[in-house]
Amino acid sequence: MKLEQRNQMRNTLQQDAKEAFEKVCGKKSEAKEVEHMTLEGMQKELKENTKHQMEYVNSLKQNTMNARA
């Protein structure tokens, strides 16, 4: 619950800062929006990367064994 509250607070502060910047400068920020991954998203991406790397390594091993035969 606290993590969700912190994320909401961060988003609110970012939005307030963006609006204040636009008021002062009269233009929109050119800074690119940053997307933060969740822990679950990072774990999923790491698992997928590991799976693909293992498939690639196994393919290389198989090709090497076929070339020797």
Side-chain angles (χ1 to χ4, degrees), residues 13-64:
L13 288 172
Q14 285 177 337
Q15 185 64 33
D16 290 348
K18 186 176 180 180
E19 290 171 4
F21 177 81
E22 290 172 2
K23 276 185 184 178
V24 171
C25 296
K27 62 180 178 178
K28 293 200 174 231
S29 170
E30 304 219 0
K32 189 175 180 181
E33 293 279 332
V34 177
E35 290 187 26
H36 297 280
M37 284 186 120
T38 62
L39 184 58
E40 291 81 15
M42 285 185 238
Q43 287 174 331
K44 181 180 177 183
E45 188 174 319
L46 285 171
K47 284 182 182 180
E48 288 174 4
N49 288 343
T50 301
K51 179 182 174 186
H52 292 298
Q53 288 175 358
M54 291 304 296
E55 289 172 353
Y56 180 70
V57 168
N58 289 334
S59 171
L60 289 175
K61 283 182 186 178
Q62 189 63 38
N63 289 341
T64 302

